[in-house]
């Protein structure tokens, strides 16, 4: 059994944050009907438009809260939250393409509820996973790269015993732990720093659980971590 631990360093920066986790077991992450996921993403992109009220993307509340959050820890220059990256593409009329069922599901969820979503392959984790500040020496190789680019000291990262899993909280993920069509057990997460969006946060977790179980089989367990419940075992 593994643990997910959100360390005290995180809570000092974000005492009101909530991290939702969906643990999916015994799933089939191959495409049985790719058109289903194309439609799912299209619906997500249409829903995303309601979150973009201001022409300047950073002035929209769902983006500005993350701009402010990223000021509280060390970040690589130009790093932005995953939800800002998705909404930027949608605002420019660029379609979000399919990758694999799990990624398509969490991307559609992120678009619909305007909250950062992510996912990793549990079977690739080395030891427990933690959300904490980086020492700066953690190994990290992202998609499209063949060399390690360690996080900055003081950067907020997900990490395990082998290195960083995701840099700048939800900016870039490591190739080592990413979801693929061979994934059978997945760690999916939803992140919130805006207490006013509690309803959307809860709805997004329900959407993830239902979508995975209905389309990929297996079973899902939902957890919510906060300052009073900073770790889970799964």
């Amino acid at each position: 059994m593994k643990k997910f631990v959100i360390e005290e360093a995180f809570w000092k920066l974000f005492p009101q944050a909530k991290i939702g986790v969906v643990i999916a077991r015994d799933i089939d992450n191959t495409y049985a009907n790719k058109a289903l996921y194309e439609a799912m993403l299209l619906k997500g992109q249409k829903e995303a438009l309601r979150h973009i009220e201001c022409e300047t993307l950073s002035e929209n509340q769902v983006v500005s809260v993350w701009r402010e959050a990223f000021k509280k820890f060390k970040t690589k220059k130009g790093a932005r939250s995953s939800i800002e990256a998705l909404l930027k593409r949608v605002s420019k009329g660029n379609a979000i393409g399919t990758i694999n069922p799990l990624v398509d599901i969490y991307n559609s969820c992120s678009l619909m509820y305007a909250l950062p979503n992510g996912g990793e392959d549990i079977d690739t984790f080395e030891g427990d996973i933690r959300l904490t500040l980086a020492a700066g020496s953690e190994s990290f190789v992202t998609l499209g790269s063949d060399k390690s680019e360690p996080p900055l000291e003081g950067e907020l990262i997900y990490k395990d015993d082998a290195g960083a899993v995701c840099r700048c909280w939800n900016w870039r993920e490591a190739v080592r732990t990413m979801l693929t069509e061979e994934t059978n057990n997945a760690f999916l997460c939803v992140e919130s720093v805006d207490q006013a969006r509690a309803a959307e946060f809860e709805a997004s977790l329900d959407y993830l659980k239902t979508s995975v179980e209905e389309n990929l089989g297996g079973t899902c367990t939902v957890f919510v971590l906060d300052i009073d419940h900073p770790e889970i075992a799964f």
Side-chain angles (χ1 to χ4, degrees), residues 23-194:
I23 301 297
R25 296 282 188 186
D26 301 317
I27 58 172
D28 179 358
N29 196 37
T30 58
Y31 284 119
N33 180 6
K34 198 169 187 179
L36 172 70
Y37 298 94
E38 292 171 341
M40 190 180 291
L41 286 166
L42 182 59
K43 180 180 179 182
Q45 289 168 85
K46 290 179 178 178
E47 287 287 318
L49 295 175
R50 67 187 175 88
H51 300 291
I52 306 174
E53 299 176 339
C54 302
E55 186 174 346
T56 302
L57 190 63
S58 61
E59 293 179 0
N60 291 278
Q61 176 67 11
V62 296
V63 173
S64 65
V65 293
W66 287 101
R67 284 284 185 106
E68 289 303 310
F70 271 44
K71 292 177 182 178
K72 295 184 178 182
F73 57 90
K74 292 283 186 66
T75 61
K76 182 178 173 64
K77 186 177 180 180
R80 298 286 185 248
S81 65
S82 64
I83 185 56
E84 179 171 347
L86 281 178
L87 291 178
K88 183 177 181 179
R89 290 178 64 181
V90 171
S91 69
K92 292 181 177 296
N94 297 326
I96 308 298
T98 55
I99 296 176
N100 63 60
L102 279 171
V103 176
D104 299 344
I105 287 170
Y106 81 61
N107 274 340
S108 67
C109 181
S110 189
L111 288 162
M112 289 177 66
Y113 298 101
L115 290 165
N117 278 225
E120 309 296 338
D121 188 322
I122 288 174
D123 297 323
T124 64
F125 290 162
E126 297 289 339
D128 296 333
I129 185 168
R130 298 176 180 274
L131 179 57
T132 189
L133 296 179
S137 57
E138 293 87 353
S139 173
F140 179 83
V141 179
T142 193
L143 194 64
S145 177
D146 58 0
K147 64 177 182 178
S148 179
E149 300 178 69
L152 302 171
E153 182 180 357
E155 183 179 319
L156 191 58
I157 62 170
Y158 288 90
K159 64 183 287 187
D160 65 5
D161 292 348
V165 170
C166 194
R167 284 193 59 183
C168 293
W169 195 346
N170 51 42
W171 171 61
R172 289 283 187 275
E173 70 169 343
V175 173
R176 175 175 60 88
T177 59
M178 70 182 186
L179 300 170
T180 69
E181 290 195 6
E182 285 71 50
T183 297
N184 298 125
N185 302 292
F187 176 100
L188 306 174
C189 65
V190 180
E191 300 150 337
S192 177
V193 290
D194 189 348

